[in-house]
Amino acid sequence: MKIILYIIRKEFKQIFRNKGMLPIIFILPILQLVILSNAATYEIKNIELGYVDADHTRLSRGLMEQFKGSTYFNISEHFSSEKDANQALQKGEIDAYMYIPNHFERDLQNDKTNTIGVYVDAIDGAAAGIINVYISQIIQKYNKRIATDFVQISDTIQKPSSIDSIPLFWYNETLNYKTFMVPGILVLLVTMITLFLSGMNIVREKEIGTLEQINVTPIKKHQFIIGKLFPFWVIGMALLTIGLILAKVIFNVPILGNLALLYGYTSVYILVILGMGLFISNFTDTQQQAMFIAWFFVVIFILMSGLFTPIESMPKWAQFLTEFNPIRYFVEIIRMVMLKGSGFMDILPLALKTLAYAIIMNGLAVWSYKKTS
Amino acid sequence: MNNNKVIEVSGLTKMFGDFTAVNAISFEVEKGEIFGFLGANGAGKTTAMKMLIGISAPTSGQAKVAGFDVYKETESIKKNIGYMSQKFALYDDLTVKENITFFGGIYGLSKKRIAEKRDELIEELGLQEVANSLVASLPLGWKQKLSFSVSLIHDPKIVFLDEPTGGVDPITRRQFWEMIYKAAHNGTTIFVTTHYMDEAEYCDRVSIMVEGKIEALDTPKKLKEQFKVASMNDVFLKLARNIE
Amino acid sequence: MKRFIGFVRKEFYHIFRDKRSLFILFGMPIAQILLFGFAITNEINNVDIAILDLSKDATTKEIIHKIAASNHFSIVDIIEQESSIESIFKKGKVKAVLQFENNFGSNLIKEKQATVQVLTDATDPNMASTISNYITAILQNYQKEVNENVTFNYQIIPQSRMVYNAELKSVYMFVPGVMTVILMLVSAMMTSISITREKEQGTMEILLVSPLKPFQVIVGKVFPYIFLSIINALVIVLLSIFVFNVPVKGSLFLLGFESVLFIITSLALGILISTISATQQTAMMISLMGLMLPTILLSGFIFPIGSMPLPLQVISNIIPAKWFIIIVKGIMLKGIGLGFVLKETLILLLMALVFMGLSVKKYKIRLE
């Protein structure tokens, strides 16, 4: 036991003496959490909308007034031809444009329906879908208005039946994306730092030769490993704490659930990550190799964690793969506990999976660490 | 087994795939001896040593270090030996004191004993001025001496030195060997590998490895007589030529 | 010149002898793009929802049937009381609950109006609003079918065309993005490690003392990686075209040229990182910690830049990936030519020069 303490002391000394790394371990994540959380949003705002009005009537102008009044759209300009509008779309100067044909008002009065063209840059398919919905909604509203304008006494008014769908947004009435993203980004940062540090640390001792020196001492495997990894566990928990404080103070993210539960889970989670780092370092000879492998896994884990794109939308085989992605569990649990106030029983299945992962991962890592080759 | 023999090696072999790095070597080392393990670079010295210190498993053959078997009892071996690697593996980003404390702790010394040893070492090596400086700032010769002392911190029966004088000036080398004599005088067995043939003169007995095999094993005096030459360097040259 | 070639050759040897790193350098981007191309999508499929039907009449049954038939949703639970909603949300079992009011069907006929509450777990706001929109669309479709024989007056009907991506495939959006992110990270990491490793091993001093000029050393170090990255980029583009059917409407040659430019910019960034790092560890941590998240989040890869707060929009301008994504999407998906991406190209060029210039300057300072 005492021997472990000696190693822990040495590790902490080395970490805090490394002046170059300290800002990277603490300041960089904090900066990223604070700044980047503001970037993550799927809300579609500032839609650049152009239009071609070949009609120039009260009706067409009235329609455009609706859009000018909307907060989602910025009416960029009136193009004199479809060709010009298309070019602007190509250049990326506008996100969409509408084409109001000649005889627009006249046709509506006569035939009672008319069409306008809506062209949306659909490279971002999801955004395009939403833009289309917004445009349709504004046109619908305008339709209701003009119906009353145009109706004549002899016409029979047919009122369609309508089903109203009322959306109710639980846990996040204002659809605040930050509430969603901040805990997720915090998970990413804690994971990255602990994985990279633990992965590189042992390889570095390999490279400079002190690992061999240690292997010649009677120190037991588990003493060495626990001593080495414990400081990074502490750093991970510290980062979590700092992150939670920032989340509350700066972003006002609610903390509905039990903090002790969150810390308890995180302590197990970090063990998974540390086990991975150790495992990687057992099979690599240079820091470079260790980093590359760690990087490979981290990028995959991040993009497949359900943080940026939903896991439910992935094909079945990909969803299966995410079962092996520890970040996926942490992201889900931190949201459940913080934003919904989920309790111990609610997170139990996920927590148990994480625990199993921790045991297997660390078991593998310790087993593959050989003092004698 | 004879109590006096601290290292007993018989037919020890290490192969990496098809390549035989150490080819069935046999020798014995007595307590308190300074045993030189010589050979050119790449002859297999370091590989052999790694098997004796328990960090490399032999392919075949037998060996006992401090009475313990190198296959099954490596952890017991490690309790009884010290090691100084080629790279003087100390932590550059820890101070002299911190390095001593750390390695003392790893070997399970009590706090009191560590403190005693620490003061002793710093006094002996004259490192009072730099005791609280980072090892990175020490000149090479001081690092070397410190590394040697740290390898003795737990008073081991045998200490293994792997090319301990690489890159160090002649005066420091001389001082270093005085430290080795002192340790041997106190009963510690010294097993040292080197490719500096003149250092062979300082040993009680030497063995010379060529391409994985031991081609000569005796005291320096007897070897010089055997090959009818004046220096160990010449002994080695003759051996090398004979092999060709 | 001969010295320079000899130097470059040494760099190549270093790289090709480290089999493990080589495998990772090439294998990883391929594995990643395959994985992401198939797995990363914004589309909503098979979302688990629950139904709370307080009416249980023919109409609600019809509507529920329609929803079940949609491949966007998967009805996994039927609950009987409002009080059950909280616990299934807490357990994370469903993302939404559809609550049909009492007497739904008769209300619809008599009052011409009935209500469905769409309760969503909005911890994921995007998912919640998308679910909301889709349900609304399904309901509207249902109404259209029911009201088919009735004609409405005075309706403007929008005819929408999804330009460049008629099927709204999310692959179009993500594949260029993944390509960019991978190229940037691999390039920047490789060069930053290469240089700091020489520093740590002490061989850098040998280089410094040699007759090679600082600028030659830097270019020499970068050169093999340009070559490797081009191969990477080529493989990624080929995979995009043949596996994911992402079109290349514009000039392949232009795409190649811009890719090389972006690679050089990323490599230059890597060099800059290495000149400010003392150890490999620091260089790697900066490349990974400092570049990864900003590149993913601020480049327009996943989140639209236009929707970000203004200060972040400004910051996104210094992320090289942002400009390259615009270029790639433009060339591949819109078929535009150099004229339209001239601004972005020049910006990338400028960045590359600035990074290189700063690196050479820092390198020189250390010499003195």
Side-chain angles (χ1 to χ4, degrees):
Chain A
M1 183 56 204
K2 265 183 35 194
I3 295 185
I4 298 181
L5 286 176
Y6 278 105
I7 301 189
I8 294 178
R9 242 171 61 184
K10 151 180 115 62
E11 292 298 320
F12 272 123
K13 285 208 182 98
Q14 287 181 303
I15 292 173
F16 286 102
R17 268 199 202 139
N18 192 340
K19 293 290 175 225
M21 284 293 285
L22 275 183
I24 297 178
I25 299 178
F26 290 111
I27 301 187
L28 200 54
I30 294 177
L31 269 182
Q32 292 194 12
L33 183 65
V34 170
I35 296 180
L36 297 178
S37 302
N38 288 306
T41 173
Y42 278 116
E43 280 178 73
I44 309 294
K45 288 195 280 209
N46 297 320
I47 305 171
E48 295 293 328
L49 184 67
Y51 67 103
V52 181
D53 185 352
D55 198 41
H56 301 290
T57 58
R58 198 186 65 147
L59 190 70
S60 65
R61 278 192 288 273
L63 177 63
M64 290 323 298
E65 281 304 311
Q66 293 293 306
F67 283 98
K68 287 188 182 138
S70 155
T71 46
Y72 289 123
F73 293 97
N74 297 335
I75 306 295
S76 71
E77 66 180 271
H78 171 231
F79 295 97
S80 42
S81 72
E82 269 201 87
K83 184 155 162 270
D84 290 340
N86 259 326
Q87 223 183 51
L89 196 67
Q90 253 200 345
K91 277 198 194 159
E93 287 165 9
I94 53 175
D95 297 311
Y97 73 88
M98 301 200 308
Y99 177 73
I100 305 174
N102 217 332
H103 304 304
F104 179 64
E105 192 184 59
R106 196 188 65 191
D107 288 346
L108 194 71
Q109 280 167 329
N110 294 341
D111 299 330
K112 304 190 174 60
T113 65
N114 204 343
T115 61
I116 59 173
V118 174
Y119 300 87
V120 184
D121 179 340
I123 290 183
D124 180 349
I130 296 182
I131 293 177
N132 199 30
V133 167
Y134 288 167
I135 292 181
S136 305
Q137 283 174 345
I138 293 182
I139 292 181
Q140 283 297 73
K141 257 201 257 166
Y142 192 57
N143 275 337
K144 290 209 179 111
R145 270 236 328 239
I146 60 173
T148 51
D149 282 351
F150 280 99
V151 82
Q152 274 153 10
I153 306 182
S154 55
D155 284 345
T156 41
I157 301 176
Q158 310 246 29
K159 188 182 168 202
S161 59
S162 72
I163 303 177
D164 290 333
S165 66
I166 302 179
L168 287 163
F169 300 110
W170 279 41
Y171 309 118
N172 190 354
E173 271 174 9
T174 49
L175 292 184
N176 183 339
Y177 283 90
K178 294 197 195 66
T179 307
F180 175 62
M181 290 304 294
V182 169
I185 293 187
L186 180 57
V187 164
L188 287 189
L189 293 169
V190 168
T191 307
M192 282 201 281
I193 295 267
T194 43
L195 182 62
F196 291 150
L197 285 181
S198 65
M200 297 229 299
N201 188 295
I202 293 190
V203 186
R204 226 167 111 246
E205 293 226 25
K206 246 195 241 188
E207 274 187 15
I208 59 181
T210 48
L211 193 67
E212 188 184 68
Q213 192 73 34
I214 298 232
N215 282 337
V216 182
T217 69
I219 194 174
K220 298 201 184 46
K221 261 205 305 200
H222 75 269
Q223 288 172 323
F224 179 60
I225 290 175
I226 294 178
K228 268 245 162 249
L229 296 182
F230 181 73
F232 299 126
W233 183 89
V234 170
I235 291 181
M237 298 299 271
L239 274 177
L240 176 72
T241 310
I242 299 176
L244 286 176
I245 296 178
L246 287 175
K248 191 84 186 97
V249 167
I250 298 186
F251 294 104
N252 237 321
V253 176
I255 304 184
L256 293 178
N258 190 339
L259 267 183
L261 185 62
L262 190 58
Y263 271 91
Y265 175 77
T266 309
S267 54
V268 175
Y269 173 79
I270 296 183
L271 288 180
V272 176
I273 304 295
L274 292 178
M276 280 185 175
L278 176 61
F279 190 64
I280 292 176
S281 68
N282 283 340
F283 288 101
T284 50
D285 297 317
T286 65
Q287 292 179 73
Q288 179 179 316
Q289 287 171 355
M291 273 312 244
F292 277 1
I293 296 181
W295 165 77
F296 169 66
F297 282 109
V298 163
V299 172
I300 293 185
F301 285 167
I302 289 181
L303 289 178
M304 305 256 296
S305 63
L307 181 59
F308 302 125
T309 59
I311 294 181
E312 294 84 4
S313 307
M314 300 182 190
K316 287 281 176 238
W317 58 265
Q319 288 192 38
F320 174 68
L321 282 181
T322 65
E323 296 272 333
F324 299 102
N325 181 355
I327 299 188
R328 174 229 168 125
Y329 297 117
F330 198 2
V331 166
E332 253 188 87
I333 289 189
I334 200 173
R335 281 179 186 156
M336 283 169 83
V337 173
M338 281 179 76
L339 309 176
K340 290 197 269 195
S342 300
F344 179 65
M345 291 309 292
D346 298 321
I347 69 169
L348 194 58
L350 292 172
L352 281 178
K353 280 190 192 167
T354 312
L355 183 62
Y357 206 154
I359 295 177
I360 296 176
M361 196 73 239
N362 280 294
L364 269 176
V366 171
W367 171 78
S368 61
Y369 179 83
K370 303 245 184 272
K371 276 181 82 183
T372 308
S373 58
Chain B
M1 284 274 129
N2 200 327
N3 274 1
N4 244 2
K5 305 218 187 292
V6 288
I7 302 180
E8 298 165 271
V9 178
S10 165
L12 197 64
T13 306
K14 179 79 181 183
M15 293 179 62
F16 295 105
D18 283 339
F19 173 64
T20 310
V22 178
N23 197 343
I25 60 175
S26 303
F27 61 93
E28 287 170 349
V29 178
E30 307 215 348
K31 182 165 157 61
E33 259 199 281
I34 301 180
F35 189 83
F37 206 59
L38 275 49
N41 287 332
K45 311 188 298 295
T46 307
T47 314
M49 183 188 261
K50 287 197 174 164
M51 289 191 276
L52 296 179
I53 60 179
I55 60 174
S56 174
T59 312
S60 63
Q62 309 286 344
K64 275 195 181 198
V65 175
F68 295 104
D69 178 68
V70 299
Y71 287 94
K72 302 211 188 75
E73 297 170 298
T74 53
E75 295 305 304
S76 302
I77 292 180
K78 288 169 184 171
K79 285 200 183 97
N80 288 288
I81 64 171
Y83 173 61
M84 179 179 155
S85 85
Q86 243 175 351
K87 301 181 189 172
F88 311 156
L90 295 168
Y91 290 102
D92 271 347
D93 50 355
L94 294 182
T95 67
V96 171
K97 269 196 188 162
E98 285 164 350
N99 266 289
I100 298 175
T101 310
F102 175 68
F103 283 105
I106 296 288
Y107 276 105
L109 271 56
S110 72
K111 260 201 181 161
K112 188 164 148 236
R113 184 85 185 116
I114 294 178
E116 276 172 21
K117 271 288 185 179
R118 201 167 53 215
D119 296 332
E120 208 182 287
L121 277 179
I122 293 180
E123 181 72 43
E124 258 181 53
L125 298 175
L127 293 173
Q128 295 90 335
E129 301 263 307
V130 294
N132 287 319
S133 311
L134 297 182
V135 165
S137 65
L138 294 182
L140 198 60
W142 294 22
K143 274 194 212 176
Q144 172 215 42
K145 290 191 233 170
L146 180 59
S147 191
F148 179 63
S149 306
V150 164
S151 70
L152 291 173
I153 200 169
H154 54 301
D155 302 314
K157 294 201 182 99
I158 315 169
V159 71
F160 289 83
L161 312 174
D162 192 8
E163 314 261 357
T165 52
V168 157
D169 70 81
I171 297 178
T172 313
R173 271 213 277 155
R174 181 71 224 159
Q175 290 171 337
F176 186 73
W177 273 94
E178 281 174 13
M179 288 174 72
I180 294 184
Y181 282 146
K182 194 156 163 232
H185 192 68
N186 285 335
T188 314
T189 310
I190 315 276
F191 186 97
V192 55
T193 70
T194 178
H195 61 269
Y196 290 117
M197 293 305 154
D198 56 331
E199 289 185 344
E201 309 276 2
Y202 305 150
C203 303
D204 293 327
R205 281 191 306 148
V206 299
S207 76
I208 303 184
M209 268 186 89
V210 183
E211 289 176 12
K213 294 209 185 116
I214 293 184
E215 299 291 346
L217 174 60
D218 216 327
T219 69
K221 185 160 166 232
K222 290 217 186 96
L223 283 175
K224 281 185 283 190
E225 278 172 16
Q226 183 186 345
F227 287 89
K228 300 186 180 51
V229 287
S231 75
M232 283 304 299
N233 210 24
D234 294 328
V235 170
F236 177 70
L237 285 174
K238 266 230 166 152
L239 257 180
R241 257 185 237 135
N242 279 352
I243 304 300
E244 277 169 42
Chain C
M1 193 55 199
K2 255 218 225 126
R3 282 184 223 122
F4 180 66
I5 295 182
F7 179 56
V8 172
R9 212 184 306 155
K10 152 182 118 67
E11 290 297 311
F12 266 108
Y13 283 152
H14 273 311
I15 297 172
F16 283 102
R17 291 214 178 118
D18 188 352
K19 293 272 180 270
R20 246 181 232 149
S21 292
L22 206 58
F23 172 71
I24 295 170
L25 232 46
F26 285 121
M28 300 318 180
I30 296 178
Q32 283 172 347
I33 202 170
L34 282 177
L35 198 55
F36 300 142
F38 286 121
I40 307 268
T41 169
N42 266 336
E43 297 152 23
I44 307 275
N45 295 318
N46 294 319
V47 175
D48 293 337
I49 63 172
I51 309 277
L52 172 58
D53 188 353
L54 294 174
S55 181
K56 292 207 180 38
D57 55 46
T59 320
T60 58
K61 272 211 178 59
E62 245 188 278
I63 296 179
I64 293 174
H65 190 74
K66 253 189 113 53
I67 292 178
S70 148
N71 58 7
H72 293 301
F73 300 108
S74 182
I75 302 182
V76 296
D77 206 357
I78 312 274
I79 56 178
E80 306 293 332
Q81 307 142 299
E82 271 193 60
S83 50
S84 316
I85 298 180
E86 175 144 12
S87 77
I88 50 171
F89 271 165
K90 271 212 174 134
K91 287 204 170 73
K93 284 210 175 130
V94 295
K95 294 271 184 280
V97 175
L98 300 185
Q99 182 172 341
F100 292 89
E101 63 173 357
N102 220 328
N103 297 319
F104 187 82
S106 50
N107 282 344
L108 196 56
I109 296 178
K110 291 200 211 129
E111 324 270 337
K112 294 255 183 204
Q113 187 162 11
T115 322
V116 180
Q117 285 189 20
V118 182
L119 302 108
T120 49
D121 179 346
T123 51
D124 179 347
N126 180 53
M127 173 78 88
S129 54
T130 311
I131 291 177
S132 214
N133 285 336
Y134 276 41
I135 297 279
T136 309
I138 293 181
L139 291 173
Q140 278 176 358
N141 256 335
Y142 175 74
Q143 289 176 83
K144 236 204 257 175
E145 284 172 16
V146 165
N147 291 316
E148 231 168 7
N149 300 319
V150 186
T151 50
F152 303 121
N153 298 339
Y154 307 111
Q155 300 284 298
I156 302 173
I157 299 170
Q159 276 188 335
S160 304
R161 207 149 313 162
M162 297 291 145
V163 188
Y164 311 128
N165 184 0
E167 295 159 48
L168 297 186
K169 286 168 47 173
S170 67
V171 177
Y172 281 33
M173 154 109 147
F174 285 129
V175 167
V178 171
M179 190 171 132
T180 310
V181 168
I182 292 177
L183 273 183
M184 151 70 78
L185 289 182
V186 171
S187 307
M189 239 196 346
M190 290 197 284
T191 36
S192 64
I193 292 170
S194 156
I195 292 194
T196 44
R197 190 170 19 165
E198 298 251 16
K199 274 198 229 181
E200 259 177 46
Q201 287 178 344
T203 48
M204 190 55 122
E205 285 168 333
I206 302 176
L207 286 178
L208 290 181
V209 183
S210 77
L212 284 174
K213 297 200 199 64
F215 152 72
Q216 281 178 315
V217 172
I218 290 186
V219 170
K221 283 221 151 272
V222 168
F223 193 75
Y225 292 113
I226 297 183
F227 181 63
L228 289 178
S229 302
I230 290 179
I231 297 184
N232 253 337
L234 195 64
V235 170
I236 292 179
V237 169
L238 286 175
L239 283 175
S240 312
I241 298 177
F242 292 111
V243 177
F244 297 113
N245 296 318
V246 177
V248 182
K249 293 195 184 141
S251 151
L252 264 179
F253 179 71
L254 182 61
L255 184 63
F257 165 71
E258 297 282 356
S259 302
V260 173
L261 178 58
F262 179 64
I263 288 171
I264 293 181
T265 312
S266 308
L267 293 174
L269 184 55
I271 305 251
L272 185 58
I273 293 176
S274 71
T275 55
I276 60 177
S277 311
T279 62
Q280 278 187 74
Q281 200 183 26
T282 317
M284 285 191 249
M285 289 297 275
I286 294 182
S287 306
L288 289 171
M289 289 296 301
L291 277 187
M292 177 134 57
L293 273 188
T295 304
I296 293 180
L297 291 175
L298 292 181
S299 60
F301 166 33
I302 302 185
F303 300 113
I305 299 180
S307 306
M308 298 181 195
L310 200 51
L312 282 179
Q313 290 192 34
V314 171
I315 297 180
S316 79
N317 287 327
I318 60 171
I319 312 257
K322 166 195 171 149
W323 303 106
F324 186 59
I325 286 186
I326 296 177
I327 294 176
V328 168
K329 283 188 188 166
I331 298 178
M332 287 179 90
L333 306 169
K334 294 187 191 176
I336 62 185
L338 183 57
F340 283 7
V341 288
L342 196 55
K343 175 177 121 186
E344 289 84 6
T345 310
L346 287 177
I347 291 181
L348 275 184
L349 190 59
L350 183 65
M351 281 186 179
L353 289 173
V354 166
F355 292 151
M356 292 286 257
L358 279 175
S359 307
V360 175
K361 195 168 132 199
K362 280 206 158 278
Y363 190 82
K364 277 209 185 109
I365 290 178
R366 280 186 328 98
L367 277 183
E368 290 131 25

